[in-house]
Amino acid sequence: MSFNIQTPRGVIVTRKSGSGSVTAELRWNDGFGAEESAKFDKAQCIVDSECLRYMNPLTPMRTGAMIKSATLGTVIGTGKIVYAAPYARRQYYNNLGGSPGHPQAKSLWFESMKASYKGAIARAAGVELK
């Protein structure tokens, strides 16, 4: 049994033998060289920056420390946004809405931001959504 995972950079081919062992092989796309990789990395930086920017008004804010913790905790270009504040997880899942600094804040602010701004973020990164 085998299956393929297609990515812009190449294909991951995974095979499972009858004995249960799994092997994976990465096959790079011929046209995905340094120039294409640089475009991909630049687009990821744009997506990360835009997500942080659009999430700011939706993020609960009393002093601004949690928003600053996202700016400091996130390495732009990795595709991973990190809120370093210890209480961020609780706020993300349990906020009942509103805060002194951001009355439109709510729980699950990334999901809310994504629903509202995914098209704008994709355009900024030069990606066409289907």
Side-chain angles (χ1 to χ4, degrees), residues 1-5 11-16 22-23 25:
M1 181 176 148
S2 71
F3 63 92
N4 299 342
I5 301 171
V11 179
I12 300 170
V13 180
T14 306
R15 289 183 198 89
K16 184 175 181 181
V22 177
T23 59
E25 175 187 353

Side-chain angles (χ1 to χ4, degrees), residues 51-83:
C51 284
L52 283 171
R53 183 170 73 92
Y54 284 125
M55 281 192 302
N56 279 351
L58 302 174
T59 305
M61 183 180 91
R62 181 172 294 154
T63 64
M66 188 163 62
I67 292 171
K68 289 176 185 170
S69 83
T71 303
L72 294 172
T74 300
V75 176
I76 299 296
T78 62
K80 185 176 181 181
I81 294 175
V82 177
Y83 283 82

Side-chain angles (χ1 to χ4, degrees), residues 34-55:
E35 186 176 316
E36 289 298 315
S37 185
K39 287 179 190 176
F40 182 80
D41 292 343
K42 182 179 179 185
Q44 185 63 61
C45 288
I46 291 169
V47 169
D48 293 354
S49 297
E50 291 294 279
C51 284
L52 283 171
R53 183 170 73 92
Y54 284 125
M55 281 192 302

Side-chain angles (χ1 to χ4, degrees), residues 87-105:
Y87 50 87
R89 181 182 180 91
R90 182 171 25 91
Q91 286 293 317
Y92 186 76
Y93 290 106
N94 299 325
N95 187 283
L96 298 176
S99 70
H102 289 155
Q104 70 274 32

